[in-house]
C-alpha cells in the first residue's frame, strides 16, 4: 500500500493487485485486521476502505515470509446489485442472492436470526452507497 497524498482526512492510495490492475483511489481506511495461520505458516492482512465516491475497497495480503499474494476488490451497490471488480473482472450479483450465499457459507439457517441479520446487512449496503 502506498499513500500518495492526503487532504481533508481523505488520502489517495495506490494498492498493488497481483491478479489485475493496481487500484488508485481517494478514501479513508475504515478497518484492518491480521491473523497468523500456524498450519499454513502465513500471515493474512485485511483492510477495508471507504472511497470518496461511496465505494468499498477490500484489500487482502497473504505472506509466508518469502512469497506475497496481494488482492484488491472494489465493491459498490447499484440498485439491487452488488458490483465487485477485482481489476480483471467486474461482476454484478443480486444482493439477495449474495446474502443467501453468505448465509449458507456461514452455516446460518432461518431458525437462527440470520434473516434479520441479512436484512440489516442489505439495508446498510444500500444506505452506504446512497
Amino acid at each position: 500500500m502506498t499513500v500518495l497524498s492526503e487532504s481533508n482526512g481523505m488520502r489517495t492510495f495506490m494498492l498493488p493487485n497481483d491478479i489485475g490492475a493496481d487500484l488508485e483511489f481517494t478514501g479513508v481506511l475504515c478497518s484492518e485486521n491480521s491473523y497468523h495461520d500456524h498450519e499454513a505458516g502465513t500471515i493474512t492482512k485485511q483492510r477495508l476502505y471507504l472511497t470518496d465516491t461511496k465505494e468499498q475497497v477490500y484489500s487482502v495480503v497473504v505472506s509466508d515470509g518469502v512469497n506475497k499474494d496481494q488482492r484488491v476488490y472494489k465493491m459498490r451497490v447499484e440498485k439491487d446489485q452488488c458490483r465487485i471488480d477485482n481489476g480483471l473482472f467486474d461482476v454484478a450479483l443480486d444482493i439477495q442472492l449474495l446474502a443467501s450465499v453468505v448465509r449458507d457459507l456461514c452455516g446460518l439457517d432461518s431458525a437462527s436470526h440470520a434473516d434479520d441479520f441479512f436484512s440489516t446487512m442489505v439495508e446498510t449496503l444500500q444506505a452506504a452507497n446512497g
Side-chain angles (χ1 to χ4, degrees), residues 1 11 19-20 33 37 65 67 82 85 92 102 104 110 117 119:
M1 167 184 72
R11 294 179 174 177
I19 60 169
N33 80 33
D37 181 334
N67 302 304
C82 180
D85 182 350
V102 170
D104 291 344
S110 59
F117 173 79
S119 293

Side-chain angles (χ1 to χ4, degrees), residues 1-128:
M1 167 184 72
T2 303
V3 177
L4 301 176
S5 67
E6 183 173 356
S7 70
N8 297 332
M10 293 274 184
R11 294 179 174 177
T12 301
F13 295 93
M14 174 63 80
L15 301 180
N17 189 7
D18 291 341
I19 60 169
D22 293 350
L23 181 61
E24 183 177 340
F25 63 94
T26 300
V28 295
L29 177 64
C30 296
S31 176
E32 94 182 290
N33 80 33
S34 61
Y35 60 90
H36 182 257
D37 181 334
H38 294 284
E39 289 181 24
T42 58
I43 294 178
T44 300
K45 294 182 182 181
Q46 302 175 39
R47 292 186 174 110
L48 181 64
Y49 303 85
L50 180 62
T51 73
D52 59 348
T53 58
K54 305 265 189 200
E55 296 172 318
Q56 293 86 35
V57 174
Y58 177 61
S59 167
V60 181
V61 178
V62 180
S63 177
D64 63 5
V66 176
N67 302 304
K68 185 188 287 187
D69 181 45
Q70 303 172 105
R71 309 275 176 121
V72 180
Y73 305 90
K74 181 171 58 174
M75 299 167 285
R76 64 190 178 281
V77 174
E78 296 176 352
K79 298 182 182 178
D80 292 336
Q81 293 189 330
C82 180
R83 296 192 68 94
I84 303 169
D85 182 350
N86 70 354
L88 190 58
F89 298 105
D90 187 354
V91 178
L93 301 169
D94 177 81
I95 291 176
Q96 294 297 330
L97 177 61
L98 179 61
S100 177
V101 169
V102 170
R103 180 177 46 238
D104 291 344
L105 288 172
C106 292
L108 300 173
D109 59 22
S110 59
S112 62
H113 297 285
D115 291 335
D116 292 338
F117 173 79
F118 284 101
S119 293
T120 302
M121 180 191 80
V122 169
E123 289 171 11
T124 302
L125 275 173
Q126 291 171 333

